[in-house]
Amino acid sequence: MAAVAQCVWGSLRSRSPLLGLALRTSPRLLCVATQKSTGQNLEEDQGQSHNEQKAEPSAAERMVTEEKAKLEEQLKEVTDKYKRALADAENVRQRSQKLVEEAKLYGIQSFCKDLLEVADILEKATQSVPKEEIKDENPHLKSLYEGLVMTEVQIQKVFKKHGLLRLDPVGAKFDPYEHEALFHAPMEGKEPGTIALVSKIGYKLHGRTLRPALVGVVKDA
């Protein structure tokens, strides 16, 4: 402090001899000036230090903001992946459930196809019996015919119970998903594209064609 005072006093004396003389006679004035100068320097140093401290948090805030943005982006990506995984799992569940339901419905498909041959034989057997021979004078033939008819009716009831229905489309429009055309022929009084003859009965299992009906289709003359 003394050295600073001496330096200030020397500087002022060289600039103004009168001011130097005044300071020599009033050393207290010199001390006050020195204290003011020192106080200003301290305030400047403190202000600069305070500004530096304020600059440091702003850099930290930028780092926190950047880190927050990165975490939010990662959270968004993870959330999207999670939603997609849930959607995929739900699709798999629905497909599996559909396969199980179809297996329940159509698991007897091959068994039904084999039984269709039995139904065809019963139908042919009943159709081959001459109707004029079915009378009381032929009790054995009559009983046999009635037994065949009852068996055919019963087997059709079992088919219907399990979702197996007959396709006898005489007069209906030809449908390639349900019918198989054996021939096309012109016929008077019949609309072209309709079915004039059914050679073999078809069947559908729960709405799905199990065996197409074999038919003859009317065409233009």
Side-chain angles (χ1 to χ4, degrees):
M1 180 69 69
V4 173
Q6 289 178 359
C7 180
V8 172
W9 182 78
S11 175
L12 293 174
R13 187 178 57 182
S14 62
R15 293 184 180 180
S16 177
L18 293 176
L19 183 57
L21 180 61
L23 289 175
R24 183 184 301 173
T25 57
S26 289
R28 182 174 181 141
L29 183 59
L30 177 62
C31 291
V32 171
T34 304
Q35 289 176 359
K36 287 184 177 181
S37 177
T38 305
Q40 290 177 356
N41 292 335
L42 288 173
E43 289 178 358
E44 291 176 358
D45 294 340
Q46 289 177 356
Q48 185 177 1
S49 176
H50 182 66
N51 292 333
E52 291 177 355
Q53 289 178 358
K54 288 180 67 176
E56 288 178 359
S58 62
E61 287 176 0
R62 283 198 302 271
M63 292 178 62
V64 170
T65 303
E66 292 176 358
E67 189 66 22
K68 179 183 177 183
K70 291 180 181 178
L71 292 175
E72 288 178 349
E73 185 67 23
Q74 292 176 0
L75 178 61
K76 184 178 179 181
E77 291 179 0
V78 171
T79 304
D80 290 342
K81 290 180 180 179
Y82 175 69
K83 290 181 179 179
R84 290 179 183 178
L86 284 180
D88 292 340
E90 180 63 19
N91 291 335
V92 171
R93 188 191 66 80
Q94 291 179 358
R95 284 196 298 267
S96 300
Q97 185 176 359
K98 184 177 180 181
L99 289 174
V100 170
E101 292 175 354
E102 289 183 351
K104 290 179 180 179
L105 291 175
Y106 305 110
I108 59 173
Q109 183 170 317
S110 58
F111 178 67
C112 289
K113 279 185 177 181
D114 294 337
L115 284 180
L116 294 183
E117 300 298 328
V118 178
D120 291 340
I121 292 172
L122 283 172
E123 186 178 6
K124 287 179 180 179
T126 55
Q127 290 175 354
S128 64
V129 178
K131 299 298 185 291
E132 64 274 7
E133 297 295 329
I134 304 171
K135 51 188 177 180
D136 294 336
E137 287 77 9
N138 293 323
H140 299 293
L141 180 61
K142 184 178 180 182
S143 298
L144 179 61
Y145 176 78
E146 289 176 351
L148 289 173
V149 171
M150 290 174 63
T151 304
E152 186 180 6
V153 170
Q154 186 61 33
I155 198 170
Q156 290 299 327
K157 286 182 179 179
V158 173
F159 285 172
K160 188 175 181 179
K161 178 181 177 181
H162 293 280
L164 189 62
L165 302 177
R166 284 165 57 97
L167 288 176
D168 191 4
V170 176
K173 281 283 186 180
F174 176 77
D175 186 351
Y177 294 103
E178 296 182 357
H179 314 136
E180 182 178 340
L182 296 177
F183 61 88
H184 293 77
M187 293 186 182
E188 288 189 18
K190 300 288 184 179
E191 183 181 354
T194 59
I195 296 172
L197 176 69
V198 177
S199 176
K200 193 173 185 179
I201 297 295
Y203 285 89
K204 293 178 74 174
L205 178 62
H206 294 293
R208 179 187 293 180
T209 301
L210 183 63
R211 186 181 76 182
L214 303 181
V215 300
V217 184
V218 180
K219 72 174 183 179
D220 292 329

